[in-house]
Amino acid sequence: MSPVKAKSFVASRLPENTGVCGWVAMLPPRVEKPRLEGALTADVVVIGGGFAGLSAARRLSQLDPQLRVAVLEVGGIGEGSAGRNSGFIIDLPHEVSSEDFSEASSNKSRRDITVQRTAIALASELAAEQGWGPDILDPCGRYSVAMSAEGDKHLVTYARQLAELGEAHTLLDAKETAEITGCPAFTSGLFMPGTVMIQPAAYIRAVADSLKEPVRVFERTPALSFARVDGGWLVKTPHGSVEAGQIILANNGHAQSFGFFSGRLLHVFTYASLTEEFDPARLSGARKWGATPALPMGTTVRRINGKGGDRILIRSRYTYNPGLDVGDGEMRRAGALHDRKFAARFPGLPNIGMEYRWAGAMAITWNSVPAFGEVEQGIIAACGCNGLGASKATASGIAAAEMALGVSSELSRIYQTFQPPKSLPPQPLTTIGAKITLAVREWNAGDE
């Protein structure tokens, strides 16, 4: 990977969140970690307090309990993209399409499974250590559901490939799927037991709260710049600074805001809506489940049970936003689509409205590899999750921590095999191509 030549890096923009995230809104108020005030010295500074950054901090503290680590989060813990996730820590390759699961790709599938199960292992270890309940992390598995003959075909193809990989799964017909989901529109389903479901905002908060001295987490503390100094790097924030020997850049697409991976990251936003609470007696089936779509870029659905009633989460719609911001019009269009998707799946809930709507950012590379590695001496990037942020960003954070301390593991060896992110075509070709690709794939997904 070609290093960036400059020795001083200044943020051109800071992350902004669009819409009110229902995951955060459902949680009780919390006492935030302090913002950074004054000068601090650390061994490693982690920029970003999401899946990648907090997982890196956790792994660093495991490898060297005496290591001084400072985690800088631009906003409140859980308010950013990680807390806006759909909450699936998935162990298996995600897109259930035959071309992605051919015999020729079995080695890649096994590699991806190893990467993603490393993320699940970290989350499960923390849950056992901290005594978290299923309201934070639930190893309940997930469903993939179809709403068309094409979707049914893809689930059968995927199930066959899982069998060849030796992975547990159960195919369900329409009646069996309806008994679980309460949704008569699903034509088939596939259950995979290895996925861990999380309440993403609660999970991110809990991971941050689990970190103890000499790891320190600072909220409302954006990294504004960092520059080379004798023996390391000086990171400046609005009210203080951190001098450290190494930086782990765990801010996903916003690594580009500091000048890294220029022309190599596609900034894509996805959208979610969460209903108001409803009487669980109004909808049959299990009160807690999550389902990803049979076809890529279809609709993800979760039923969430709470003390005051149940809610349904709908996630669908993808837009290319190279400026890293989302407009009101895009939110309205996504919301209208979610309302139609909800009505098609749950006709027995005609008067249930959406209480929260939000957008979340992803960073995608053209060749679907992470934006990972030492991008400047002493600066290691753990970015470019390519979707599946809970799984892949967590794994990238772990791998970055191991790279920082020179530790070899099966995960770090896998990360060494990844090619650098490919350069994107020049503008306006990238914008035209990205928008056409997203539109075609959403059209292909149809009702899914």
Side-chain angles (χ1 to χ4, degrees), residues 119-186:
I120 289 175
L122 179 142
S124 300
E125 181 182 69
L126 272 168
E129 176 187 292
Q130 300 294 317
W132 298 341
D135 55 323
I136 296 177
L137 182 147
D138 190 351
C140 59
R142 70 172 167 111
Y143 298 88
S144 186
V145 292
M147 290 185 66
S148 65
E150 185 65 19
D152 296 336
K153 177 182 175 182
H154 278 240
L155 290 186
V156 171
T157 300
Y158 186 36
R160 185 167 59 247
Q161 193 64 34
L162 291 180
E164 292 176 5
L165 290 169
E167 295 295 338
H169 63 281
T170 304
L171 274 169
L172 308 170
D173 61 23
K175 181 174 181 293
E176 292 168 323
T177 306
E179 288 173 351
I180 293 162
T181 64
C183 175
F186 296 140

Side-chain angles (χ1 to χ4, degrees), residues 266-323:
L266 288 164
H267 303 290
V268 174
F269 281 74
T270 186
Y271 301 81
S273 294
L274 186 66
T275 69
E276 61 194 4
E277 290 181 326
F278 60 86
D279 182 348
R282 295 186 60 184
L283 182 63
S284 63
R287 289 190 60 196
K288 187 176 183 181
W289 52 269
T292 52
L295 298 182
M297 297 190 66
T299 303
T300 294
V301 184
R302 281 188 67 172
R303 182 172 178 177
I304 305 155
N305 63 324
K307 294 180 180 179
D310 290 6
R311 299 176 187 266
I312 300 290
L313 178 138
I314 300 288
R315 192 193 79 169
S316 189
R317 180 70 176 151
Y318 296 82
T319 61
Y320 173 59
N321 300 77

Side-chain angles (χ1 to χ4, degrees), residues 243-263:
E243 186 171 341
Q246 292 179 295
I247 294 173
I248 292 180
L249 204 59
N251 55 351
N252 209 14
H254 275 278
Q256 202 167 64
S257 301
F258 287 98
F260 297 99
F261 304 109
S262 179

